[in-house]
Amino acid sequence: MPRSEYKTKIPVPPIAKHLLEWKRMMKWDEDSLATPSCEIRVEENGFFVEYITQDMEGNVIDVASIVDIRKDKSPKDLKTVESFKIVGDSDDAISERCFQIVTADNFIKETYYNFMAFSKKDCDKFVDDLLIICNHFINTNLSQMDIVRKMHKRILLSSKDDKHVSIKEILRAVVSTQS
């Protein structure tokens, strides 16, 4: 019997429709008092979480590097909490609307991304569906073609121009994946 008959195809979890759409949230840091509004979504292949702040600065979080997503992570700074009370249009507690995305490229360096949704329901839906994608082992065991697709998408997301990608950007992406 050929060996290929024993292989099974592991289904990739579907990406929820609401994760593909831009959601308006607040992004905050423990270090700064500024709480800019941002829009966040998961790109169509499920490789990256991308968010754009008010000053149109785009950032990308690699889904494969997400270690944890913590709910109920509210800011410690009282000025930030007060600014959230003014902005929030929900009666839900601030801690119930906040979540934190933890990424780690290695075991030492962790990066924290803090967000606040405008309602507890939006926060719960976003975090629960994002956890399904992040916890699936297929993200860390991609085929060669999927790795090429992922690199291409990373270059497009980091490119300043949507139509043209420079050689410099391609080289920067290749070097960053090797380190």
Side-chain angles (χ1 to χ4, degrees):
M1 199 179 284
R3 186 179 166 133
S4 63
E5 289 183 23
Y6 295 109
K7 291 183 182 178
T8 58
K9 180 129 174 102
I10 299 167
V12 178
I15 301 170
K17 186 177 178 184
H18 68 92
L19 287 179
L20 298 173
E21 300 166 355
W22 290 101
K23 290 273 188 213
R24 202 170 129 242
M25 295 190 186
M26 301 292 285
K27 182 177 180 340
W28 54 275
D29 279 331
E30 291 290 348
D31 301 336
S32 67
L33 296 176
T35 55
S37 175
C38 75
E39 292 187 2
I40 186 170
R41 77 176 185 121
V42 175
E43 59 90 23
E44 62 270 0
N45 296 316
F47 295 137
F48 302 103
V49 175
E50 52 183 324
Y51 65 93
I52 300 174
T53 57
Q54 269 179 330
D55 43 338
M56 299 308 284
E57 182 183 327
N59 293 303
V60 177
I61 303 170
D62 190 348
V63 169
S65 69
I66 294 177
V67 184
D68 192 15
I69 302 175
R70 302 172 182 162
K71 289 185 190 177
D72 302 334
K73 180 69 177 158
S74 60
K76 295 179 180 107
D77 184 37
L78 294 176
K79 289 182 182 178
T80 307
V81 172
E82 289 302 317
S83 68
F84 281 172
K85 286 181 182 175
I86 294 169
V87 173
D89 57 352
S90 174
D91 293 334
D92 301 324
I94 291 174
S95 64
E96 293 176 343
R97 295 184 280 156
C98 292
F99 65 95
Q100 182 180 60
I101 298 176
V102 183
T103 63
D105 294 330
N106 54 31
F107 292 115
I108 298 169
K109 183 185 172 199
E110 289 185 341
T111 308
Y112 303 97
Y113 301 92
N114 301 304
F115 296 97
M116 184 197 77
F118 289 103
S119 72
K120 181 183 185 309
K121 184 179 127 188
D122 286 344
C123 177
D124 289 341
K125 268 178 47 176
F126 191 87
V127 170
D128 293 341
D129 290 338
L130 186 58
L131 274 171
I132 291 171
I133 298 170
C134 294
N135 290 338
H136 200 276
F137 70 93
I138 204 85
N139 287 324
T140 55
N141 297 306
L142 296 174
S143 68
Q144 290 91 346
M145 194 63 207
D146 286 338
I147 291 172
V148 171
R149 267 193 219 110
K150 184 176 181 177
M151 276 189 70
H152 179 258
K153 190 63 177 181
R154 179 181 302 215
I155 292 169
L156 288 178
L157 290 174
S158 65
S159 175
K160 292 178 179 35
D161 187 10
D162 291 340
K163 296 178 183 166
H164 306 306
V165 177
S166 69
I167 300 294
K168 189 176 184 179
E169 291 170 327
I170 294 171
L171 290 174
R172 189 179 305 134
V174 169
V175 169
S176 70
T177 57
Q178 291 178 354
S179 57

